[in-house]
């Protein structure tokens, strides 16, 4: 039995393509955003804070990417996942470091494997989702 595993992770080039596509969508809708791409370990791989993006959105974008890669599910899926489970609804948002339970974070998958995640913050979470989805489309 092997003592190590090989894990696919997003390349720097791919991360920059995701950022560029997300920035283009943010510019199109006229909302400056912070856009983070994390690798499979939740480490920041690429980041952009567009001119005029809110300062607090810097950390929120990174935390959305961290949440999405850490659990392999979009951040907006968390609300429905925990809303009817009192211990999770009360404990998860305050008890899981960096957990974000509203839209804007998505795992990045290549050939069915999670290789990273994107997190976007700066607008309403629905706008953040649109921008993140545009970033994901760069790898489709």
């Amino acid at each position: 039995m092997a003592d190590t595993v090989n894990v696919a992770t997003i390349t720097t080039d791919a991360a920059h393509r995701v950022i560029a596509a997300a920035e283009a969508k943010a510019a199109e809708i006229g909302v400056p955003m912070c856009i983070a791409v994390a690798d499979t370990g939740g480490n920041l791989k690429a980041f952009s804070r567009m001119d005029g993006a809110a300062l607090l959105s810097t950390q929120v974008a990174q935390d959305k990417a961290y949440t999405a890669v850490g659990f392999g599910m979009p951040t907006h899926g968390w609300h429905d996942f925990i809303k009817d489970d009192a211990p999770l609804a009360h404990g998860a948002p305050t008890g899981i470091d960096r957990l974000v339970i509203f839209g804007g974070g998505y795992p990045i998958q290549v050939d069915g494997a999670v290789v990273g995640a994107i997190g976007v913050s700066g607008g309403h979470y629905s706008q953040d989702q649109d921008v993140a989805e545009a970033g994901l489309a760069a790898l489709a």
Side-chain angles (χ1 to χ4, degrees), residues 44-131:
L44 189 61
K45 187 74 175 189
F47 180 80
S48 174
R49 180 173 176 251
M50 297 174 70
D51 295 339
L55 178 61
L56 291 177
S57 292
T58 298
Q59 189 63 49
V60 175
Q62 292 177 53
D63 290 349
K64 286 180 181 184
Y66 185 84
T67 298
V69 76
F71 288 96
M73 64 185 264
T75 56
H76 65 269
W78 272 92
H79 180 266
D80 285 342
F81 184 68
I82 67 174
K83 71 178 181 177
D84 296 324
D85 187 326
L88 281 178
H90 295 292
T94 58
I96 301 174
D97 191 35
R98 301 180 64 186
L99 177 70
V100 178
I101 63 168
F102 48 88
Y106 289 87
I108 297 171
Q109 295 188 3
V110 174
D111 297 328
V114 174
V115 298
I118 183 172
V120 175
S121 181
H124 184 271
Y125 68 83
S126 62
Q127 293 170 312
D128 297 349
Q129 286 179 244
D130 290 343
V131 170

Coordinates of all heavy atoms in Angstrom, one line a residue, residues 44-131:
L44 N -4.6 30.1 -1.3 CA -4.9 31.0 -2.3 C -3.9 30.8 -3.5 O -2.7 30.7 -3.3 CB -4.7 32.4 -1.8 CG -5.1 33.6 -2.6 CD1 -6.6 33.5 -2.9 CD2 -4.7 34.9 -2.0
K45 N -4.5 30.6 -4.7 CA -3.7 30.4 -5.9 C -3.6 31.6 -6.7 O -2.6 31.9 -7.3 CB -4.4 29.2 -6.7 CG -3.6 28.7 -7.9 CD -2.4 27.9 -7.4 CE -1.7 27.3 -8.6 NZ -0.7 26.4 -8.2
A46 N -4.7 32.4 -6.8 CA -4.8 33.6 -7.6 C -5.8 34.5 -7.0 O -6.8 34.0 -6.4 CB -5.1 33.4 -9.1
F47 N -5.6 35.8 -7.1 CA -6.6 36.7 -6.5 C -6.6 38.1 -7.3 O -5.6 38.5 -7.8 CB -6.2 37.0 -5.0 CG -7.1 38.0 -4.3 CD1 -8.3 37.5 -3.8 CD2 -6.8 39.3 -4.2 CE1 -9.2 38.4 -3.2 CE2 -7.7 40.2 -3.6 CZ -8.9 39.7 -3.1
S48 N -7.8 38.7 -7.3 CA -7.9 40.0 -7.9 C -8.9 40.8 -7.0 O -10.0 40.4 -6.7 CB -8.4 40.0 -9.3 OG -8.6 41.3 -9.8
R49 N -8.4 42.0 -6.7 CA -9.4 43.0 -6.1 C -9.5 44.1 -7.1 O -8.6 44.9 -7.3 CB -8.8 43.5 -4.8 CG -9.8 44.6 -4.1 CD -9.3 45.0 -2.7 NE -10.2 46.0 -2.2 CZ -9.8 47.3 -2.1 NH1 -8.6 47.7 -2.3 NH2 -10.7 48.1 -1.6
M50 N -10.6 44.1 -7.8 CA -10.9 45.1 -8.8 C -10.9 46.5 -8.2 O -11.3 46.6 -7.1 CB -12.2 44.8 -9.6 CG -12.1 43.4 -10.3 SD -13.7 43.0 -11.1 CE -13.8 44.2 -12.4
D51 N -10.6 47.5 -9.0 CA -10.6 48.9 -8.5 C -12.0 49.2 -8.0 O -13.0 48.9 -8.7 CB -10.2 49.8 -9.7 CG -8.8 49.7 -10.1 OD1 -8.0 49.2 -9.3 OD2 -8.5 50.1 -11.2
G52 N -12.1 49.7 -6.8 CA -13.4 50.0 -6.2 C -14.1 48.9 -5.5 O -15.1 49.2 -4.9
A53 N -13.5 47.7 -5.5 CA -14.2 46.6 -4.7 C -14.0 46.9 -3.2 O -13.0 47.4 -2.8 CB -13.5 45.3 -5.1
A54 N -15.0 46.5 -2.5 CA -15.0 46.8 -1.0 C -13.9 46.0 -0.4 O -13.6 44.9 -0.7 CB -16.4 46.3 -0.5
L55 N -13.3 46.7 0.6 CA -12.2 46.1 1.3 C -12.6 44.8 2.0 O -11.8 43.8 2.0 CB -11.6 47.1 2.3 CG -10.5 46.6 3.2 CD1 -9.2 46.2 2.4 CD2 -10.1 47.7 4.2
L56 N -13.7 44.8 2.7 CA -14.1 43.6 3.4 C -14.4 42.4 2.5 O -14.3 41.2 2.9 CB -15.4 43.8 4.2 CG -15.1 44.7 5.4 CD1 -16.4 45.0 6.2 CD2 -14.1 44.2 6.4
S57 N -14.6 42.7 1.2 CA -14.9 41.6 0.2 C -13.6 40.8 0.0 O -13.7 39.7 -0.5 CB -15.4 42.2 -1.1 OG -16.7 42.7 -0.9
T58 N -12.5 41.3 0.3 CA -11.2 40.6 0.1 C -11.2 39.3 0.8 O -11.0 38.2 0.3 CB -10.0 41.5 0.5 OG1 -10.0 42.7 -0.3 CG2 -8.7 40.7 0.4
Q59 N -11.5 39.3 2.1 CA -11.5 38.1 2.9 C -12.7 37.2 2.6 O -12.6 36.0 2.6 CB -11.4 38.4 4.4 CG -11.2 37.2 5.3 CD -9.9 36.6 5.0 OE1 -8.8 37.2 5.0 NE2 -9.9 35.3 4.8
V60 N -13.8 37.9 2.4 CA -15.1 37.1 2.1 C -14.9 36.2 0.8 O -15.2 35.1 0.8 CB -16.3 38.0 2.0 CG1 -17.5 37.2 1.6 CG2 -16.6 38.7 3.3
A61 N -14.3 36.8 -0.2 CA -14.0 36.0 -1.4 C -13.1 34.8 -1.2 O -13.4 33.7 -1.6 CB -13.4 36.9 -2.5
Q62 N -12.1 35.1 -0.4 CA -11.1 34.0 -0.1 C -11.8 32.9 0.8 O -11.6 31.7 0.6 CB -9.9 34.5 0.7 CG -9.1 35.4 -0.2 CD -7.9 36.0 0.5 OE1 -7.1 35.3 1.1 NE2 -7.7 37.3 0.4
D63 N -12.7 33.3 1.7 CA -13.4 32.4 2.5 C -14.4 31.6 1.8 O -14.7 30.4 2.0 CB -14.1 33.1 3.7 CG -13.0 33.5 4.7 OD1 -11.8 33.2 4.6 OD2 -13.4 34.3 5.7
K64 N -15.1 32.2 0.8 CA -16.0 31.5 -0.1 C -15.3 30.4 -0.9 O -15.8 29.2 -1.0 CB -16.7 32.4 -1.1 CG -17.8 33.3 -0.4 CD -18.5 34.2 -1.4 CE -19.5 35.1 -0.8 NZ -20.2 35.9 -1.8
A65 N -14.1 30.7 -1.4 CA -13.3 29.7 -2.1 C -12.9 28.6 -1.2 O -13.0 27.4 -1.5 CB -12.1 30.3 -2.8
Y66 N -12.5 28.9 0.0 CA -12.0 28.0 1.0 C -13.2 27.0 1.4 O -13.0 25.8 1.5 CB -11.5 28.7 2.3 CG -11.0 27.9 3.3 CD1 -9.6 27.5 3.3 CD2 -11.7 27.5 4.5 CE1 -9.1 26.7 4.3 CE2 -11.2 26.8 5.5 CZ -9.9 26.4 5.4 OH -9.3 25.6 6.4
T67 N -14.4 27.6 1.6 CA -15.6 26.8 2.0 C -15.9 25.9 0.8 O -16.2 24.7 1.0 CB -16.8 27.7 2.2 OG1 -16.5 28.5 3.4 CG2 -18.0 26.9 2.5
A68 N -15.9 26.4 -0.4 CA -16.3 25.5 -1.6 C -15.4 24.4 -1.8 O -15.8 23.3 -2.1 CB -16.4 26.4 -2.8
V69 N -14.1 24.6 -1.7 CA -13.1 23.5 -1.9 C -13.1 22.6 -0.7 O -12.9 21.4 -0.8 CB -11.7 24.0 -2.3 CG1 -10.9 24.5 -1.1 CG2 -10.9 22.9 -2.9
G70 N -13.3 23.1 0.5 CA -13.2 22.3 1.7 C -14.3 21.3 1.8 O -14.2 20.2 2.4
F71 N -15.5 21.6 1.3 CA -16.6 20.7 1.4 C -17.1 20.2 0.0 O -18.0 19.4 -0.1 CB -17.8 21.4 2.1 CG -17.5 21.5 3.6 CD1 -17.1 22.7 4.1 CD2 -17.8 20.5 4.4 CE1 -16.8 22.8 5.4 CE2 -17.5 20.6 5.8 CZ -17.0 21.8 6.3
G72 N -16.4 20.7 -1.1 CA -16.8 20.2 -2.4 C -18.2 20.6 -2.9 O -18.8 19.9 -3.7
M73 N -18.7 21.7 -2.3 CA -20.1 22.1 -2.7 C -20.1 23.6 -2.8 O -19.3 24.3 -2.1 CB -21.1 21.5 -1.7 CG -21.0 22.0 -0.3 SD -22.2 21.2 0.8 CE -23.6 22.4 0.8
P74 N -21.0 24.1 -3.6 CA -21.2 25.6 -3.6 C -21.6 26.2 -2.3 O -22.3 25.5 -1.5 CB -22.2 25.8 -4.7 CG -22.3 24.5 -5.5 CD -21.9 23.5 -4.5
T75 N -21.2 27.4 -2.0 CA -21.5 28.0 -0.7 C -23.0 28.2 -0.6 O -23.5 28.1 0.5 CB -20.8 29.3 -0.6 OG1 -21.0 30.2 -1.7 CG2 -19.3 29.1 -0.4
H76 N -23.7 28.5 -1.7 CA -25.1 28.7 -1.5 C -25.9 27.4 -1.2 O -27.0 27.5 -0.7 CB -25.7 29.3 -2.8 CG -25.7 28.4 -4.0 ND1 -24.6 28.5 -4.9 CD2 -26.5 27.5 -4.5 CE1 -24.8 27.6 -5.9 NE2 -26.0 27.0 -5.6
G77 N -25.3 26.3 -1.3 CA -25.9 25.0 -0.9 C -26.0 24.8 0.6 O -26.8 24.0 1.1
W78 N -25.2 25.6 1.3 CA -25.1 25.5 2.8 C -26.4 25.9 3.5 O -26.8 25.2 4.5 CB -24.0 26.2 3.4 CG -22.7 25.4 3.4 CD1 -21.8 25.3 2.4 CD2 -22.3 24.5 4.4 NE1 -20.8 24.4 2.8 CE2 -21.2 23.9 4.0 CE3 -22.9 24.1 5.6 CZ2 -20.5 22.9 4.7 CZ3 -22.2 23.2 6.4 CH2 -21.0 22.6 5.9
H79 N -27.1 26.9 3.0 CA -28.3 27.3 3.7 C -29.4 26.2 3.7 O -29.9 25.9 4.8 CB -28.9 28.6 2.9 CG -30.2 29.0 3.6 ND1 -31.4 28.7 3.2 CD2 -30.4 29.9 4.7 CE1 -32.3 29.2 4.0 NE2 -31.7 30.0 4.9
D80 N -29.7 25.6 2.6 CA -30.6 24.5 2.6 C -30.1 23.3 3.4 O -30.9 22.6 4.0 CB -31.0 24.1 1.2 CG -31.9 25.1 0.5 OD1 -32.6 25.9 1.3 OD2 -32.0 25.1 -0.7
F81 N -28.8 23.1 3.4 CA -28.2 21.9 4.1 C -28.4 22.0 5.6 O -28.6 21.0 6.2 CB -26.7 21.9 3.7 CG -26.0 20.7 4.2 CD1 -26.3 19.4 3.8 CD2 -25.0 20.9 5.2 CE1 -25.6 18.3 4.3 CE2 -24.3 19.8 5.7 CZ -24.6 18.5 5.2
I82 N -28.3 23.3 6.1 CA -28.4 23.4 7.6 C -29.7 24.0 8.2 O -29.9 23.8 9.3 CB -27.2 24.3 8.1 CG1 -27.3 25.7 7.6 CG2 -25.9 23.6 7.7 CD1 -26.3 26.6 8.2
K83 N -30.5 24.6 7.3 CA -31.7 25.3 7.8 C -32.6 24.5 8.7 O -33.2 25.1 9.6 CB -32.4 26.0 6.7 CG -33.2 25.1 5.8 CD -34.0 25.8 4.7 CE -34.8 24.8 3.9 NZ -35.6 25.4 2.9
D84 N -32.8 23.2 8.4 CA -33.8 22.4 9.2 C -33.1 21.6 10.2 O -33.7 20.7 10.8 CB -34.6 21.6 8.3 CG -35.5 22.4 7.3 OD1 -36.0 23.5 7.8 OD2 -35.7 22.1 6.2
D85 N -31.8 21.8 10.5 CA -31.1 21.0 11.4 C -30.5 22.0 12.5 O -29.5 22.6 12.3 CB -29.9 20.3 10.7 CG -29.2 19.3 11.6 OD1 -29.0 19.6 12.8 OD2 -28.7 18.3 11.0
A86 N -31.2 22.1 13.6 CA -30.9 23.1 14.6 C -29.4 23.1 15.1 O -28.8 24.2 15.1 CB -31.8 23.0 15.8
P87 N -28.8 21.9 15.4 CA -27.4 22.0 15.8 C -26.5 22.5 14.7 O -25.6 23.3 15.0 CB -27.1 20.5 16.1 CG -28.4 19.9 16.5 CD -29.4 20.6 15.6
L88 N -26.8 22.1 13.5 CA -25.9 22.7 12.4 C -26.2 24.1 12.1 O -25.3 24.9 11.9 CB -26.2 21.9 11.1 CG -25.4 20.5 11.0 CD1 -25.8 19.8 9.7 CD2 -23.9 20.7 11.1
A89 N -27.5 24.5 12.1 CA -27.9 25.9 11.8 C -27.3 26.9 12.8 O -26.9 28.0 12.5 CB -29.4 26.0 11.8
H90 N -27.2 26.4 14.1 CA -26.7 27.3 15.1 C -25.2 27.2 15.3 O -24.5 28.1 15.6 CB -27.4 27.1 16.4 CG -28.8 27.4 16.4 ND1 -29.2 28.7 16.3 CD2 -29.9 26.7 16.4 CE1 -30.6 28.8 16.3 NE2 -31.0 27.5 16.3
G91 N -24.6 26.0 15.0 CA -23.2 25.7 15.3 C -22.3 25.9 14.1 O -21.2 26.4 14.3
A92 N -22.7 25.6 12.9 CA -21.8 25.6 11.7 C -21.3 27.0 11.4 O -20.1 27.2 11.3 CB -22.5 25.0 10.5
P93 N -22.2 28.0 11.3 CA -21.7 29.3 10.9 C -20.7 29.9 11.9 O -19.8 30.7 11.5 CB -23.0 30.2 10.8 CG -24.1 29.2 10.5 CD -23.7 28.0 11.3
T94 N -20.9 29.6 13.2 CA -19.9 30.2 14.2 C -18.9 29.2 14.6 O -17.8 29.6 15.1 CB -20.7 30.7 15.4 OG1 -21.4 29.5 16.0 CG2 -21.7 31.8 15.1
G95 N -19.1 27.9 14.4 CA -18.2 26.9 14.8 C -17.2 26.4 13.8 O -16.2 25.7 14.1
I96 N -17.5 26.6 12.5 CA -16.5 26.2 11.5 C -15.8 27.4 10.9 O -16.4 28.3 10.3 CB -17.3 25.4 10.3 CG1 -18.0 24.2 10.9 CG2 -16.3 25.0 9.2 CD1 -18.9 23.5 9.9
D97 N -14.6 27.5 11.2 CA -13.8 28.7 10.8 C -13.8 28.9 9.3 O -13.7 27.9 8.5 CB -12.3 28.4 11.2 CG -11.5 29.7 11.1 OD1 -12.0 30.8 11.3 OD2 -10.3 29.5 10.8
R98 N -14.1 30.1 8.9 CA -14.1 30.5 7.5 C -15.3 30.0 6.7 O -15.3 30.2 5.5 CB -12.8 30.2 6.8 CG -11.6 30.9 7.4 CD -10.3 30.5 6.8 NE -10.3 31.1 5.4 CZ -9.3 30.9 4.5 NH1 -8.3 30.1 4.8 NH2 -9.4 31.4 3.3
L99 N -16.3 29.4 7.3 CA -17.5 28.9 6.6 C -18.3 30.1 6.1 O -18.7 30.9 6.9 CB -18.3 28.0 7.5 CG -19.6 27.4 6.9 CD1 -19.3 26.4 5.8 CD2 -20.5 26.8 8.0
V100 N -18.7 30.0 4.8 CA -19.6 31.0 4.3 C -20.8 30.2 3.8 O -20.7 29.3 3.0 CB -19.0 31.8 3.1 CG1 -20.0 32.8 2.5 CG2 -17.7 32.6 3.6
I101 N -22.1 30.7 4.1 CA -23.3 29.9 3.8 C -24.2 30.7 2.8 O -25.4 30.4 2.8 CB -24.0 29.5 5.0 CG1 -24.5 30.7 5.8 CG2 -23.2 28.6 5.9 CD1 -25.5 30.4 6.9
F102 N -23.6 31.6 2.0 CA -24.4 32.3 1.0 C -23.6 32.3 -0.3 O -22.4 32.0 -0.3 CB -24.8 33.7 1.4 CG -23.7 34.5 2.0 CD1 -22.9 35.3 1.2 CD2 -23.5 34.6 3.4 CE1 -21.9 36.1 1.7 CE2 -22.4 35.3 3.9 CZ -21.6 36.1 3.0
G103 N -24.2 32.6 -1.4 CA -23.7 32.4 -2.7 C -22.4 33.1 -3.1 O -22.1 34.2 -2.5
G104 N -21.7 32.6 -4.0 CA -20.5 33.2 -4.6 C -19.3 32.3 -4.5 O -18.2 32.7 -5.1
G105 N -19.4 31.1 -3.9 CA -18.2 30.2 -3.9 C -18.6 28.9 -4.6 O -19.7 28.3 -4.3
Y106 N -17.7 28.4 -5.5 CA -18.0 27.1 -6.2 C -16.7 26.3 -6.3 O -15.6 26.8 -6.5 CB -18.4 27.4 -7.6 CG -19.7 28.0 -7.8 CD1 -19.9 29.4 -7.8 CD2 -20.9 27.2 -8.1 CE1 -21.2 30.0 -8.0 CE2 -22.1 27.8 -8.3 CZ -22.3 29.2 -8.2 OH -23.5 29.7 -8.4
P107 N -16.9 25.0 -6.1 CA -15.7 24.1 -6.4 C -15.4 24.2 -7.9 O -16.3 24.4 -8.7 CB -16.1 22.7 -6.0 CG -17.6 22.8 -5.6 CD -18.0 24.2 -5.7
I108 N -14.1 24.0 -8.2 CA -13.7 24.0 -9.6 C -13.4 22.5 -9.9 O -12.6 21.9 -9.2 CB -12.5 24.8 -9.9 CG1 -12.8 26.3 -9.7 CG2 -12.0 24.6 -11.4 CD1 -11.6 27.2 -9.7
Q109 N -14.1 21.9 -10.9 CA -13.9 20.5 -11.3 C -13.3 20.4 -12.6 O -13.7 21.1 -13.6 CB -15.2 19.8 -11.2 CG -15.8 19.7 -9.8 CD -17.0 18.8 -9.7 OE1 -17.4 18.2 -10.6 NE2 -17.6 18.7 -8.5
V110 N -12.4 19.5 -12.8 CA -11.9 19.1 -14.1 C -11.9 17.6 -14.1 O -11.4 16.9 -13.2 CB -10.4 19.6 -14.2 CG1 -9.8 19.1 -15.5 CG2 -10.4 21.1 -14.2
D111 N -12.6 17.1 -15.2 CA -12.7 15.6 -15.4 C -13.3 15.0 -14.1 O -12.9 13.9 -13.7 CB -11.4 15.0 -15.7 CG -10.8 15.4 -17.1 OD1 -11.6 15.8 -18.0 OD2 -9.6 15.5 -17.2
G112 N -14.3 15.6 -13.5 CA -15.0 15.1 -12.4 C -14.3 15.2 -11.0 O -14.8 14.8 -10.0
A113 N -13.1 15.7 -11.0 CA -12.3 15.9 -9.8 C -12.3 17.3 -9.3 O -12.1 18.2 -10.2 CB -10.9 15.4 -9.9
V114 N -12.5 17.6 -8.0 CA -12.3 18.9 -7.5 C -10.9 19.3 -7.5 O -10.1 18.6 -6.9 CB -13.0 19.1 -6.1 CG1 -12.7 20.4 -5.5 CG2 -14.4 18.8 -6.1
V115 N -10.5 20.4 -8.2 CA -9.1 20.8 -8.3 C -8.8 22.2 -7.7 O -7.7 22.7 -7.7 CB -8.6 20.8 -9.8 CG1 -8.7 19.4 -10.4 CG2 -9.4 21.8 -10.6
G116 N -9.9 22.7 -7.1 CA -9.8 24.1 -6.5 C -11.2 24.6 -6.4 O -12.2 23.9 -6.4
A117 N -11.2 26.0 -6.2 CA -12.5 26.6 -6.0 C -12.3 28.1 -6.3 O -11.2 28.7 -6.3 CB -13.0 26.5 -4.6
I118 N -13.5 28.7 -6.7 CA -13.5 30.2 -6.9 C -14.4 30.8 -5.8 O -15.5 30.2 -5.4 CB -14.0 30.5 -8.3 CG1 -14.0 32.1 -8.5 CG2 -15.4 29.9 -8.6 CD1 -14.3 32.5 -9.9
G119 N -14.1 31.9 -5.3 CA -14.9 32.7 -4.4 C -15.0 34.1 -4.9 O -13.9 34.7 -5.3
V120 N -16.2 34.7 -4.9 CA -16.4 36.0 -5.4 C -17.2 36.8 -4.4 O -18.2 36.3 -3.9 CB -17.1 36.0 -6.8 CG1 -17.4 37.4 -7.2 CG2 -16.3 35.3 -7.8
S121 N -16.8 38.1 -4.1 CA -17.5 38.9 -3.2 C -17.4 40.4 -3.7 O -16.4 40.8 -4.2 CB -17.0 38.8 -1.8 OG -17.7 39.6 -0.9
G122 N -18.5 41.1 -3.5 CA -18.5 42.5 -3.8 C -19.8 43.1 -4.2 O -20.1 44.3 -4.1
G123 N -20.7 42.2 -4.6 CA -22.1 42.6 -4.9 C -23.1 41.8 -4.0 O -22.7 41.2 -3.0
H124 N -24.3 41.8 -4.4 CA -25.3 40.9 -3.8 C -24.8 39.5 -4.1 O -24.2 39.3 -5.1 CB -26.7 41.2 -4.4 CG -27.8 40.4 -3.7 ND1 -28.1 39.1 -4.2 CD2 -28.6 40.7 -2.7 CE1 -29.1 38.7 -3.4 NE2 -29.4 39.6 -2.5
Y125 N -25.2 38.6 -3.2 CA -24.7 37.2 -3.4 C -25.1 36.6 -4.8 O -24.4 35.8 -5.4 CB -25.0 36.3 -2.3 CG -26.4 35.9 -2.1 CD1 -27.0 34.9 -2.9 CD2 -27.2 36.6 -1.2 CE1 -28.4 34.6 -2.7 CE2 -28.5 36.3 -1.0 CZ -29.1 35.3 -1.7 OH -30.5 35.0 -1.6
S126 N -26.2 37.1 -5.3 CA -26.7 36.6 -6.6 C -25.7 37.1 -7.7 O -25.5 36.4 -8.7 CB -28.1 37.0 -6.9 OG -28.3 38.4 -6.9
Q127 N -25.3 38.3 -7.6 CA -24.3 38.9 -8.5 C -23.0 38.1 -8.4 O -22.3 37.8 -9.4 CB -24.1 40.4 -8.3 CG -25.3 41.2 -8.7 CD -25.1 42.6 -8.2 OE1 -24.7 42.9 -7.1 NE2 -25.4 43.6 -9.1
D128 N -22.6 37.9 -7.1 CA -21.3 37.1 -6.9 C -21.4 35.8 -7.6 O -20.4 35.3 -8.2 CB -21.1 36.9 -5.4 CG -20.9 38.2 -4.6 OD1 -20.7 39.3 -5.2 OD2 -20.9 38.2 -3.4
Q129 N -22.6 35.1 -7.5 CA -22.7 33.8 -8.1 C -22.6 33.9 -9.6 O -21.9 33.1 -10.3 CB -24.1 33.2 -7.8 CG -24.2 32.7 -6.4 CD -25.6 32.1 -6.1 OE1 -26.3 32.7 -5.2 NE2 -26.0 31.1 -6.8
D130 N -23.2 34.9 -10.2 CA -23.1 35.1 -11.7 C -21.7 35.3 -12.1 O -21.2 34.7 -13.1 CB -23.9 36.3 -12.1 CG -25.4 36.1 -12.0 OD1 -25.9 34.9 -11.9 OD2 -26.2 37.1 -12.1
V131 N -20.9 36.1 -11.4 CA -19.5 36.4 -11.7 C -18.7 35.1 -11.5 O -17.8 34.8 -12.4 CB -19.0 37.5 -10.9 CG1 -17.5 37.7 -11.0 CG2 -19.7 38.8 -11.3

